[in-house]
Every structure is written in structure tokens, then in C-alpha cells.
Amino acid sequence: MTKLWIQRESLRLRGDKLTKDILIQYSELVEEVKDLRKRIDNIERQIDKIETEGNVIDSVKGGYGGIQHFKIEGFPDPEYSKKKTRLYLNKAQLESAELELLELTNQVEDYIQSIDNSRMRRIFRLRYIDGKTWLQVAQGIGGRATADSVRMEHDRYMARE
């Protein structure tokens, strides 16, 4: 069973009513996708560096009681293979996480649309869908809204859910 299937089943059993757990999961999954993308970019840069530099050269001591020096040159196959494998695994994880995120995004948007209060819908949309900070949410709401006031409105609403 996948995490997504379990989440769908738990939603179905609760009458499709989303809770703050889904919003938390959504936020965490957004961060996980960002992290996976950074990891993939980093590994791709490391692979490019290995491919560009090509052979590596090292010097070791040996022979005649360790006084003789030998120069060793070659392509770092083990390191290159490990990085390629890690890249493929991370790309597979990213694809899976992005599919899960798409499903959760739809559920979160449905939940936000079901909120009766227009101001709360705007706060939730700016915070979760647009990924804004509390300060940016307050600026998006306008008026006398501050970062603390919109965060507290959000928290009070979530406490009632």
C-alpha cells in the first residue's frame, strides 16, 4: 500500500473532510519535493565535474620499504557509478513525490474552496497554494493585516476544525 492510497482511504472514511493533518502533509511534501530537486541538481553537478575532469591522478608509496612513489591514473568508476545510481533513485523518488503532491494539491484546493469565509479562503490560498510567508500573506490581504494577525486568524480557524 502506498502512502497516497492510505491518505485517500482515511479521507474517504472521514467523509472527504480535510483536516489540518492534510495541510501539514501538503506543506511537508512541498518541502520534500524542493529538497529532492536540490539533491538531484547537486548530484548532476558532481557527475558533470567527474565527466569533465575525466581521469584522476594519485600518488602512493610502496616498494623498497615504502620509499618508492607510484603515480596512479584512472577514471573513478566506483564513485561515478554510485552517483549515477543515486541520481536515478532520487529522480524516481521525485516523480513519485510530485504525483502525490498533485493529488494533495487538488484536495487542498477543494478544502480551501469549501471554506465559507472569503478572507480565510484568501489566507489559506496565499499560504498553502502560493507558498507565501505570513508577511507576504498579510500584504496580499491588505488593509491593516499584519503577519501576526493573519497567522493568528489562521490558527484560530484551524483550532475550530
Side-chain angles (χ1 to χ4, degrees):
M1 281 193 272
T2 66
K3 286 191 304 186
L4 187 56
W5 184 86
I6 292 169
Q7 286 174 344
R8 283 187 192 141
E9 277 302 298
S10 66
L11 285 172
R12 189 181 62 74
L13 294 174
R14 287 181 288 177
D16 288 340
K17 181 174 176 166
L18 291 174
T19 66
K20 63 182 174 182
D21 294 336
I22 295 299
L23 292 173
I24 291 168
Q25 176 63 21
Y26 173 78
S27 298
E28 291 298 323
L29 193 54
V30 166
E31 293 305 313
E32 181 181 357
V33 166
K34 287 179 189 176
D35 179 58
L36 283 168
R37 286 183 180 144
K38 285 179 190 174
R39 289 174 185 273
I40 288 169
D41 288 344
N42 187 35
I43 293 170
E44 285 175 338
R45 278 194 302 278
Q46 291 172 2
I47 289 172
D48 286 344
K49 183 178 177 185
I50 290 171
E51 290 173 346
T52 302
E53 291 177 358
N55 289 346
V56 292
I57 300 171
D58 198 4
S59 176
V60 295
K61 292 181 181 180
Y64 298 116
I67 59 172
Q68 206 170 14
H69 291 276
F70 296 97
K71 183 173 144 182
I72 300 173
E73 183 177 343
F75 190 79
D77 281 323
E79 180 184 2
Y80 183 76
S81 295
K82 285 179 189 176
K83 294 203 182 296
K84 282 292 225 183
T85 301
R86 174 63 21 215
L87 177 64
Y88 293 133
L89 291 173
N90 281 354
K91 284 185 175 184
Q93 289 173 338
L94 177 62
E95 186 176 332
S96 174
E98 285 176 334
L99 288 173
E100 188 176 349
L101 182 59
L102 179 61
E103 179 67 28
L104 277 176
T105 301
N106 292 335
Q107 292 173 5
V108 168
E109 286 176 345
D110 289 345
Y111 173 68
I112 291 171
Q113 203 53 39
S114 74
I115 297 173
D116 292 334
N117 184 313
S118 174
R119 181 180 176 90
M120 290 310 301
R121 279 196 306 270
R122 290 175 56 217
I123 289 172
F124 274 70
R125 195 171 291 115
L126 289 167
R127 179 65 179 177
Y128 292 101
I129 302 301
D130 298 342
K132 305 281 185 188
T133 65
W134 287 118
L135 179 60
Q136 292 169 327
V137 171
Q139 291 169 345
I141 294 296
R144 293 183 173 183
T146 66
D148 285 338
S149 69
V150 292
R151 182 186 50 78
M152 289 181 351
E153 280 183 76
H154 168 275
D155 293 348
R156 281 192 297 268
Y157 183 85
M158 293 305 289
R160 287 189 309 236
E161 283 295 300

